[in-house]
Amino acid sequence: MKLQATQENLHRALNNVARVAISSRNPLPILNNVLLRVVDNRLTLSATNLEIGITEHIGAKVTTPGALTVPARLFQEYIASLPSGVIDLDIKDNKLHIKTGSYQSTINGVAADEFPVTPTIDKKESWKIPARELKKGLSQVIFAAANDETRPILTGVYLHSHNGHLYAVATDSYRLAEKKLMAFKGSINLLIPASSLQDLLRIIADSDGDVVVYADGQQALFEVGDSELITRLLEGNYPDYRKLIPPTFAVSANLQRSEFQNITKVASLFARESAGSIMIRFDEDSEVVSIASVASQLGENISKIETKVTGNGDVSVNSRYLIDALNVFHSESVAFSCNGKVEPCVITSDEEPDYLHVIMPLKS
């Protein structure tokens, strides 16, 4: 293989691809490499950890086709260190020779035929979603997915259709985030690892185009411009989470989001001894919402917000979960609603009717 490509294009592509190869979870040494090959007169860079695969296509001036795998970390860091401009890549005897300006290096590679075959997917059926909408939606739910592998289903994001719309949902059983993405005709039920979607978010970046999605029951493929991400799907049935969301509430308050964030953060400082537990109290008569926390060794804190309150009561929640939820809303105000100490608390906003967040209360 002999070709020329720009440092800028190589650097961008390697930033997306190499992350998968550099993962410490790779079961085979060859998976620490990135595959370079010429496809349709373009340079293609691919990496996989057998659960997710990322491919980048970049423009190149190809003299001779070919293929080779090289260590991903070394190749990425070396290309990132080079000045902008045209780079010559030349493969001879399983060695990649790199030359640009006064820089000249050789990286020892491994034959391309030792690299795992890139999974393929049936592209007969697909659907599109604007990249910016998908990025915003995933960012509002992905953090709520579980990190604990003991319940694999909860480590994914559930993309599904319901009543003519497409939804993204994630839960770790202590909190739940649901985002209505767009109107959708047809039926979709995809359970995608949250870790794969984190990589997708990096690929989407500031793309203004559409993300094209293909799925075949075992894996899903996302195309974003010249980038492709293919991931396995999680097996199993997602919980019927809609049963968790109360249809009505006995207690509710409308709050300025920034003020609610601030007093929650202050309360969290005194809640470290109690695993982040804070008490939220609602007083309809005085139209006050107060947040209290106690640290037996350090002291205690109580902060109040004057606002419109419906109903009286109190509930204990994890301050970190509440802060996480408030951070992903984009509205000026939010509504916090509950039905006492043991039923789910729900955060919504009239300014963002397509998003809701559920937090399970703590035993007080």
Side-chain angles (χ1 to χ4, degrees):
M1 182 178 78
K2 188 174 184 179
L3 58 83
Q4 290 182 325
T6 65
Q7 187 271 348
E8 294 86 350
N9 284 341
L10 278 171
H11 180 48
R12 174 189 55 78
L14 283 168
N15 279 347
N16 289 334
V17 169
R19 188 184 303 273
V20 176
I22 292 172
S23 170
S24 60
R25 298 169 59 186
N26 286 338
L28 302 171
I30 190 66
L31 299 181
N32 293 315
N33 285 15
V34 59
L35 172 64
L36 309 177
R37 57 194 170 116
V38 172
V39 177
D40 296 331
N41 215 38
R42 292 195 298 172
L43 176 61
T44 296
L45 300 89
S46 302
T48 182
N49 60 10
L50 301 184
E51 294 184 357
I52 179 177
I54 297 178
T55 298
E56 290 278 345
H57 305 278
I58 64 174
K61 183 179 179 181
V62 178
T63 302
T64 307
L68 184 70
T69 77
V70 294
R73 184 186 296 275
L74 174 61
F75 190 39
Q76 179 197 30
E77 293 178 348
Y78 179 69
I79 294 298
S81 301
L82 295 178
S84 60
V86 176
I87 297 176
D88 292 300
L89 301 179
D90 190 7
I91 294 175
K92 293 180 181 178
D93 300 324
N94 286 340
K95 295 179 185 293
L96 176 63
H97 301 275
I98 308 169
K99 184 178 180 181
T100 179
S102 59
Y103 296 83
Q104 185 171 330
S105 300
T106 299
I107 297 179
N108 296 332
V110 178
D113 56 12
E114 295 188 29
F115 199 77
V117 176
T118 304
T120 58
I121 195 168
D122 186 350
K123 291 188 175 182
K124 289 182 179 179
E125 295 185 8
S126 67
W127 49 274
K128 296 180 180 180
I129 181 170
R132 289 185 180 274
E133 291 301 315
L134 182 58
K135 181 179 180 180
K136 178 183 176 182
L138 291 179
S139 297
Q140 288 186 298
V141 303
I142 201 169
F143 68 94
N147 294 315
D148 188 354
E149 296 288 343
T150 57
R151 296 188 67 185
I153 287 177
L154 300 187
T155 64
V157 172
Y158 184 38
L159 280 179
H160 69 289
S161 53
H162 178 73
N163 289 344
H165 288 88
L166 180 68
Y167 290 84
V169 180
T171 181
D172 59 5
S173 78
Y174 301 106
R175 55 182 170 178
L176 180 146
E178 180 197 66
K179 174 71 174 182
K180 184 191 294 183
L181 295 172
M182 65 178 189
F184 189 84
K185 295 181 179 179
S187 178
I188 287 289
N189 286 281
L190 305 178
L191 187 50
I192 305 169
S195 57
S196 299
L197 294 178
Q198 291 282 12
D199 284 311
L200 179 63
L201 287 176
R202 297 186 186 99
I203 291 173
I204 291 174
D206 297 319
S207 174
D208 289 320
D210 290 332
V211 177
V212 184
V213 186
Y214 306 88
D216 65 4
Q218 294 184 319
Q219 52 193 3
L221 172 66
F222 299 85
E223 291 183 350
V224 189
D226 292 326
S227 306
E228 296 178 1
L229 182 149
I230 190 166
T231 177
R232 67 176 179 85
L233 298 176
L234 297 173
E235 297 181 357
N237 296 319
Y238 206 69
D240 187 3
Y241 70 90
R242 286 190 171 85
K243 292 182 178 179
L244 295 173
I245 305 172
T248 59
F249 299 97
V251 180
S252 183
N254 291 313
L255 303 143
Q256 287 295 314
R257 184 172 67 93
S258 60
E259 189 176 9
F260 196 18
Q261 279 178 305
N262 288 338
I263 67 171
T264 303
K265 288 177 181 177
V266 170
S268 71
L269 300 177
F270 292 83
R272 292 167 180 165
E273 291 182 9
S274 57
S277 176
I278 59 175
M279 173 73 76
I280 305 177
R281 180 167 285 110
F282 302 86
D283 190 321
E284 183 176 25
D285 296 332
S286 60
E287 295 190 325
V288 167
V289 174
S290 60
I291 296 183
S293 53
V294 177
S296 58
Q297 300 297 319
L298 299 175
E300 60 186 54
N301 166 263
I302 184 167
S303 302
K304 298 180 180 180
I305 299 177
E306 294 184 1
T307 187
K308 180 175 176 57
V309 179
T310 301
N312 297 291
D314 55 68
V315 64
S316 294
V317 299
N318 185 305
S319 58
R320 180 171 67 86
Y321 290 171
L322 180 54
I323 292 169
D324 286 347
L326 294 174
N327 282 342
V328 298
F329 275 90
H330 305 285
S331 54
E332 292 291 329
S333 62
V334 296
F336 188 99
S337 308
C338 62
N339 285 314
K341 297 183 177 182
V342 296
E343 292 192 36
C345 306
V346 178
I347 307 171
T348 57
S349 173
D350 289 340
E351 301 166 56
E352 298 180 67
D354 293 337
Y355 181 69
L356 67 82
H357 196 94
V358 178
I359 300 177
M360 299 302 296
L362 300 173
K363 294 180 179 180
S364 57

